[in-house]
Amino acid sequence: MCAALLILLAIWLAERLNNTPRALLSTDVRVVKGGAEVADNRLQITAADDEGVAMFIAPLGAGLPAKRYPLLRWRVDADASAQGYALIWVTKDEPRALQSLPLLPQQFFAGQVDLQADPRWRGEIVGVGLALMTVGEFPLIIDHMALDPSTGEWGWQDANRRLADNLLQFEPWLPASINFHRGVGERSLSSLPVLLAAWVTLSVLFLLALSHIVHGMRWQAASLVIALFGWLLVDLRWTAELLQRLRSAPAETAGYIGSGAASWLEQLPARLGAAPRRVFLIDDDPGGARALRARYLLSPHSTLLGFSDLPDDALLRPGDSIVILSAPVAIRYDSSRSVLFSASGREVPALLVSAATGVGFAFAVNASQVEGARP
């Protein structure tokens, strides 16, 4: 009980005393319309779309409480100009609805908007950005865009309510792969494993201190009971999440990679051969849903992820295969020489095994012709 109260007090104090702004301009920023680049907490808008609109949005992971972060700040050059400015955001309750707040030129160049009075700035905010219409001159640079926390609007009840939501509400499962993916950050300070670890640690420390006061106390057995009880809580919550997943409707995983890609990948293992082999999967998003589902569909072959270009010769062995879904560098196939080559200068002798228009290509590596190939 004492340990639990100390944890709640520590979380409340951290929420109340932490006035660090939440920076928004990182490499995770999504450019919705036009073109933009992000570096060193600075966003440089370089182009607009055909309609003259430049739009970007910064994702906020599992979301930030709107009541805790009501103030948005940024810096912009005084020479920047456009015919229209708007603040945009997305809430967790309405992830498919884009909220928009038009800004006056004075508000935009002042670089500050207080959103407490806006009735739409409520709940959990999962994305914040700006939209500019008919930019006068490129590049337009925006610096240090951040959300500032408010200690006056965020109190004890708000902090405890958010803590209870993180502990008691189950986040949706993401069926992008066969593995378990939750919609909440597992490494956040209020996640269940972190709280349980802190609770067990503080409980053990409390018992150690108490053992010096109460003579004859068997604190070793008490510590073991506390650890087992914490493990039981984790197991019960995990079981509850599994039961909830079983009661939910089956997810259509083909939508993550496209029906055509799913059909081709399901037939591809048989074409690669009966014996399991290594498959180098080339994709511009190696950790995305398409690559993860492709690795599952290519089983029992051992699919290696993380490649955005042709693998180095030293990695190849007889019997290896290469599957190309997409690549950030240009990769071509010379059928007359049976050679794969990329714009980076790499070449791999290979034979075309299968191809699907608009989906991908599969090749068998002719490793006997690769320099340094190992048996």
Side-chain angles (χ1 to χ4, degrees), residues 12 15-16 65 67-68 124 150-165:
W12 180 76
E15 289 282 357
R16 294 288 292 172
K67 190 175 182 180
R68 180 74 171 101
E124 299 285 326
S150 170
T151 56
E153 295 293 325
W154 190 254
W156 170 271
Q157 292 182 349
D158 298 310
N160 283 311
R161 188 182 301 113
R162 180 169 174 80
L163 174 62
D165 289 342

Side-chain angles (χ1 to χ4, degrees), residues 173-184:
W173 284 48
L174 306 180
S177 77
I178 61 171
N179 302 314
F180 174 67
H181 287 271
R182 288 179 55 180
V184 67

Side-chain angles (χ1 to χ4, degrees), residues 5 22 73 120 137 151 186 228 245 313 324 369:
L5 290 176
R22 174 65 181 266
R73 299 179 185 270
R120 299 170 298 171
E137 184 178 350
T151 56
E186 290 293 338
L228 291 176
R245 177 69 176 122
D313 293 348
I324 303 174
Q369 302 180 24

Side-chain angles (χ1 to χ4, degrees), residues 272 277 319-322 340 348-353 362-367:
L272 294 178
R277 64 186 61 204
D320 288 345
S321 298
I322 296 176
L340 272 172
V348 175
L351 298 175
L352 180 63
V353 175
F363 297 89
V365 176
N366 189 357

Side-chain angles (χ1 to χ4, degrees), residues 112-190:
Q112 178 174 316
V113 176
D114 192 343
L115 296 161
Q116 293 183 82
D118 195 309
R120 299 170 298 171
W121 188 261
R122 294 292 182 268
E124 299 285 326
I125 308 299
V126 296
V128 180
L130 290 172
L132 307 177
M133 284 68 75
T134 316
V135 177
E137 184 178 350
F138 295 106
L140 190 150
I141 298 176
I142 297 175
D143 281 335
H144 297 87
M145 190 174 183
L147 284 168
D148 281 358
S150 170
T151 56
E153 295 293 325
W154 190 254
W156 170 271
Q157 292 182 349
D158 298 310
N160 283 311
R161 188 182 301 113
R162 180 169 174 80
L163 174 62
D165 289 342
N166 289 336
L167 290 177
L168 302 177
Q169 292 185 5
F170 297 134
E171 295 291 336
W173 284 48
L174 306 180
S177 77
I178 61 171
N179 302 314
F180 174 67
H181 287 271
R182 288 179 55 180
V184 67
E186 290 293 338
R187 296 185 180 180
S188 63
L189 292 178
S190 59

Side-chain angles (χ1 to χ4, degrees), residues 153-359:
E153 295 293 325
W154 190 254
W156 170 271
Q157 292 182 349
D158 298 310
N160 283 311
R161 188 182 301 113
R162 180 169 174 80
L163 174 62
D165 289 342
N166 289 336
L167 290 177
L168 302 177
Q169 292 185 5
F170 297 134
E171 295 291 336
W173 284 48
L174 306 180
S177 77
I178 61 171
N179 302 314
F180 174 67
H181 287 271
R182 288 179 55 180
V184 67
E186 290 293 338
R187 296 185 180 180
S188 63
L189 292 178
S190 59
S191 64
L192 183 63
V194 174
L195 289 176
L196 282 177
W199 173 66
V200 171
T201 303
L202 289 176
S203 299
V204 171
L205 293 177
F206 175 74
L207 289 174
L208 285 172
L210 193 62
S211 65
H212 293 285
I213 301 174
V214 181
H215 298 287
M217 176 181 174
R218 302 185 62 182
W219 58 268
Q220 296 93 338
S223 301
L224 180 60
V225 170
I226 289 176
L228 291 176
F229 184 65
W231 179 266
L232 178 62
L233 290 178
V234 174
D235 187 70
L236 289 176
R237 193 177 192 277
W238 176 252
T239 303
E241 286 186 310
L242 290 177
L243 292 175
Q244 185 190 48
R245 177 69 176 122
L246 290 174
R247 289 194 298 265
S248 62
E252 181 55 50
T253 56
Y256 284 86
I257 57 177
S259 58
S263 176
W264 179 65
L265 288 169
E266 288 173 353
Q267 301 173 10
L268 192 55
R271 298 184 181 182
L272 294 178
R277 64 186 61 204
R278 299 193 311 170
V279 178
F280 293 86
L281 183 67
I282 300 176
D283 191 79
D284 54 8
D285 186 11
R290 179 171 58 179
L292 294 173
R293 290 301 303 179
R295 179 172 62 178
Y296 168 62
L297 294 175
L298 289 174
S299 61
H301 301 297
S302 176
T303 303
L304 306 178
L305 303 181
F307 294 90
S308 56
D309 195 358
L310 293 175
D312 188 80
D313 293 348
L315 299 176
L316 298 174
R317 297 199 301 240
D320 288 345
S321 298
I322 296 176
V323 174
I324 303 174
L325 296 180
S326 62
V329 298
I331 298 178
R332 300 288 184 267
Y333 181 62
D334 187 344
S335 57
S336 61
R337 297 190 300 131
S338 298
V339 171
L340 272 172
F341 61 94
S342 69
S344 63
R346 293 185 176 182
E347 290 191 3
V348 175
L351 298 175
L352 180 63
V353 175
S354 179
T357 304
V359 177

